[in-house]
């Protein structure tokens, strides 16, 4: 079995167990009691689709993620939330290569069932690295992602880890930085958002909160600058900065989030 066939086979099982499909709330009553075949067919109903790639903690059903899904569902989106390998009840070991392969497969699985309905990759925190890795792979295949949204992104995992607030107190310890770098190098963990965005052509929206202490706003701004400089079509790259009050996980509580997302996608997909 070649790698692609193996990927498809693994994902058929994944879809059955670890992919949660939330339909637009306007179709909620229709969806009650329906089979998986009905849900797959619903992806062609013309309502835009978001594949949501979560961060490093917990799983797809964490409260703040469910809150975001509800906001997007109420806004007319299909939302496919996935637990990568090693997360939630998904089996396997989480590696950068593995998480990227998971995201590529779920995007391709979705596109194969969506007809002409566009599909957006939305990554949060660690998921931004998964999203841009996957988008680059798909770009290289000649199938650019319909759109990418990066929520609270870092530039790359090395910078994000060294500057992670909880680790800063250890930075002056002898050998600490070398130990961190060796661990990342050993496990081949980079998630290079800053390099990936240079190769993308997909519409790209970066959203970040001013009071994000987990991944400070400066990283989102830096990534926007890199992408804006690299893109030939500057209109395809946008950034929205949210006022204090939402920190790292709760942009979903912002009353302007949905409008910003819908306006961006409507403009890019017009």
């Amino acid at each position: 079995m070649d790698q692609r066939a193996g990927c498809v086979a693994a994902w058929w099982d994944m879809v059955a167990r670890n992919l949660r499909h939330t339909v637009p709330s306007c179709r909620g009553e229709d969806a009650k009691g329906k089979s998986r075949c009905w849900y797959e067919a619903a992806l062609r109903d013309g309502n835009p689709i978001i594949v949501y790639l979560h961060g490093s903690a917990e799983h797809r059903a964490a409260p703040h993620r469910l809150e975001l899904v509800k906001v997007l569902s109420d806004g007319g989106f299909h939302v496919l939330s996935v637990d990568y390998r090693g997360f939630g009840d998904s089996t396997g070991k989480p590696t950068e290569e593995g998480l990227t392969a998971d995201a590529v497969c779920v995007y391709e699985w979705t596109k194969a069932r969506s007809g002409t309905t566009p599909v957006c990759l939305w990554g949060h925190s660690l998921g931004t690295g998964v999203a841009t890795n996957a988008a680059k792979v798909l770009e290289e295949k000649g199938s650019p992602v319909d759109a990418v949204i990066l929520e609270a992104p870092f530039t790359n995992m090395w910078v994000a880890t060294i500057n992670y607030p909880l680790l800063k107190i250890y930075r002056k310890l002898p050998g600490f930085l070398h130990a961190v770098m060796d661990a990342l190098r050993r496990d081949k963990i980079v998630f290079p958002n800053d390099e990936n965005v240079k190769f993308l052509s997909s519409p790209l929206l970066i959203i970040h909160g001013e009071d994000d202490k987990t991944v400070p706003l400066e990283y989102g701004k830096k990534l926007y600058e890199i992408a804006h400089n690299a893109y030939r079509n500057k209109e395809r790259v946008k950034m929205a900065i949210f006022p204090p009050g939402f920190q790292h996980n709760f942009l979903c509580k912002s009353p302007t989030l949905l409008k910003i997302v819908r306006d961006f996608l409507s403009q890019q997909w017009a």
Side-chain angles (χ1 to χ4, degrees), residues 2 6 8 11 15 25 28 46 48 54 62 83-85 97 108 112 137 149 156 162 169 181 187 196 228 243 252:
D2 63 27
V8 171
W11 264 91
V15 168
S25 59
H54 65 67
D83 271 333
Y84 327 101
R85 63 190 70 190
E97 182 180 6
E108 291 184 328
V137 170
I149 295 177
N156 62 69
I162 293 171
I169 60 175
M181 291 301 185
D187 292 334
N196 288 340
H228 192 264
C252 56

Side-chain angles (χ1 to χ4, degrees), residues 13-34:
D13 181 58
M14 172 70 185
V15 168
R17 296 184 297 108
N18 299 321
L19 186 66
R20 178 180 176 83
H21 178 183
T22 303
V23 298
S25 59
C26 62
R27 302 207 64 191
E29 287 299 318
D30 295 340
K32 289 181 178 178
K34 295 300 195 300

Side-chain angles (χ1 to χ4, degrees), residues 14 17-20 52-69 80-91 124 126 249:
M14 172 70 185
R17 296 184 297 108
N18 299 321
L19 186 66
R20 178 180 176 83
Y52 178 72
L53 305 172
H54 65 67
S56 61
E58 301 181 86
H59 44 73
R60 67 183 185 273
H64 63 281
R65 292 171 188 145
L66 293 179
E67 190 168 350
L68 174 63
V69 169
L80 301 182
S81 307
V82 62
D83 271 333
Y84 327 101
R85 63 190 70 190
F87 285 79
D89 54 4
S90 186
T91 58
H124 173 237
L126 173 69
N249 289 328

Side-chain angles (χ1 to χ4, degrees), residues 7 18-19 35 38 41 45 47 71 106-108 129 144 151 165 168 175 181 188 192 200 207 213 218 220 222 231 261:
C7 176
N18 299 321
L19 186 66
S35 68
W38 182 92
D45 67 7
N47 290 301
V71 168
V106 75
Y107 182 84
E108 291 184 328
E151 178 186 357
K168 286 185 177 179
M181 291 301 185
K188 298 179 181 179
L200 303 185
I207 56 177
K213 293 183 174 58
E218 64 185 276
K222 180 63 177 177
Y231 266 61
V261 170

